[in-house]
Amino acid sequence: MTADLKQPATPPDAAWQDDVRAGVRHVRDLASLPLSPAERAAAQAAAAGHKVRVPKAYLDLIDWEDPNDPIRAQAIPSPEELVATEGELDDPIGDHEFSPVPRLTHRHADRVLLFPTYQCAVYCRFCFRKESLTAIGRGYTREALEPALAYIAGHGEIREVILTGGDPLSLPDKALAEIRARTEAIPHVRLLRIHTRVPVALPSRITPGLVAALQGRLMVTVVTHFNHPREITDETEAACRTMRQAGFVLLNQSVLLKGVNDNVEVLEELCRELVYRLGVKPYYLHHGDLARGMAHRRTTIAKGQALVAELRQRLSGICNPTYVIDLPDGGGKVPLAASHIEGCEGGTWRIRGQDGKVREYREVVG
Ligand code: SF4
């Protein structure tokens, strides 16, 4: 049989819609999973506080024989989520404090976060915006974005618009095309950034139609959210290839999660596969935010520093992410890796090398 006579492939939109339909869409769908009655009851209680949704493609990655499976830990509600620990926050990074109009956060002069939807293709158990997703929870309407777009148009210092959420790529192509067109009509905006878990959890959604909806005047950067090498599959590889071929710049941010990826071998494999297989640059490794019910997934900062010091020894610069914390009260992202600078006297710096030895660097400037 020649290629021309082959059966037509499944239409792109049918494939992702099937993945959504066959996944977990409601709390009641948890009944179809191989959980014990006690686990199911706990999962249902936790899901009442933070929605549950898992596309089939992501569900299929779970090894149900392993109670500590890293995919399961990220997607299936657990009873620990019900335990709020002192010091945890509803708005861990201060989104609301810096929100001059609905659906927009303006923390840094040259960029804004725009929230076109508060809905997601997958609801990650570790999400630091889960309170907003539960309390606001609304999807996209043209009218709902009017004040935010008017604000951007009125602030000539804004260069980058970051679509986040909720997951912007959970929206239909038509809505994405409309948001892109309305954003690029503002002349001082130069970059459209999209933060998304869709390429990880619902890679079939990355269709030619979706990519076309985002192409226009603006440079597009897609920041994916892979946390574990098991999330990297033939399907996620195809999704990233489609986006790369469209000219999008691909970066990844991971969250450091106890029991999921707080292990140097796991992080090393994740970072290598992101670069070598997906063509995605590891950008940030986030220390866990103070989201409610997440104490069981946070590591200490000292543990994170030890992990990234080891990663730095093993990986090239292009494979290494920057370990950061997004500070409470809108303090922004700051690096957390231990400093290599031991001191400076009279223009001579004492700097610790990767081998642990301290060397002197004398500044010689003209
Ligand atoms: S996709 Fe993003 S916004 Fe949605 S639940 Fe996951 S981390 Fe939160």
Side-chain angles (χ1 to χ4, degrees), residues 223-299:
V223 183
T224 59
H225 196 157
F226 290 88
N227 288 326
H228 194 278
R230 287 245 316 275
E231 295 172 333
I232 298 177
T233 62
D234 290 348
E235 289 72 29
T236 57
E237 186 180 345
C240 290
R241 190 183 314 116
T242 301
M243 293 190 287
R244 280 203 328 272
Q245 287 172 347
F248 300 171
V249 172
L250 302 186
L251 306 173
N252 186 71
Q253 50 186 353
S254 303
V255 185
L256 183 59
L257 295 166
K258 191 195 280 183
V260 172
N261 60 12
D262 61 334
N263 169 297
V264 73
E265 275 74 32
V266 168
L267 287 174
E268 179 183 356
E269 187 185 349
L270 171 66
C271 294
R272 286 194 190 281
E273 293 304 293
L274 281 167
V275 175
Y276 302 158
R277 188 168 171 194
L278 302 188
V280 177
K281 158 80 184 127
Y283 176 41
Y284 285 138
L285 173 65
H286 288 264
H287 187 74
D289 297 300
L290 292 170
R292 286 204 194 284
M294 277 296 110
H296 63 294
R297 290 282 166 225
R298 278 190 292 272
T299 68

Side-chain angles (χ1 to χ4, degrees), residues 115-227:
F115 302 89
T117 178
Y118 287 96
Q119 294 170 2
C120 303
V122 61
Y123 288 101
C124 315
R125 306 325 297 171
F126 54 82
C127 181
F128 68 93
R129 291 214 175 94
K130 60 180 152 187
E131 307 291 338
S132 294
L133 302 187
T134 305
I136 305 173
R138 295 186 202 102
Y140 170 74
T141 64
R142 192 181 163 78
E143 298 68 37
L145 277 198
E146 291 294 353
L149 290 166
Y151 179 91
I152 297 168
H155 286 75
E157 73 275 24
I158 295 170
R159 297 282 181 276
E160 301 182 19
V161 172
I162 302 163
L163 303 184
T164 186
D167 196 318
L169 295 192
S170 66
L171 291 171
D173 295 351
K174 194 166 164 242
L176 288 171
E178 189 170 277
I179 295 162
R180 190 259 308 149
R182 295 169 79 194
T183 307
E184 72 184 9
I186 302 170
H188 49 264
V189 175
R190 305 287 301 280
L191 178 72
L192 186 63
R193 236 206 276 177
I194 296 163
H195 289 189
T196 177
R197 276 279 272 177
V198 163
V200 181
L202 185 60
S204 52
R205 177 67 189 96
I206 308 299
T207 59
L210 177 142
V211 163
L214 295 169
Q215 285 177 310
R217 171 181 75 81
L218 296 171
M219 176 67 77
V220 174
T221 295
V222 176
V223 183
T224 59
H225 196 157
F226 290 88
N227 288 326

Side-chain angles (χ1 to χ4, degrees), residues 283-341:
Y283 176 41
Y284 285 138
L285 173 65
H286 288 264
H287 187 74
D289 297 300
L290 292 170
R292 286 204 194 284
M294 277 296 110
H296 63 294
R297 290 282 166 225
R298 278 190 292 272
T299 68
T300 61
I301 290 176
K303 167 127 196 205
Q305 286 179 319
L307 284 168
V308 297
E310 182 64 28
L311 277 185
R312 195 142 188 88
Q313 299 266 7
R314 298 186 183 198
L315 295 173
S316 64
I318 203 164
C319 290
N320 256 299
T322 304
Y323 179 42
V324 293
I325 189 166
D326 222 324
L327 288 169
D329 303 324
K333 282 185 199 67
V334 292
L336 278 182
S339 173
H340 284 247
I341 297 173

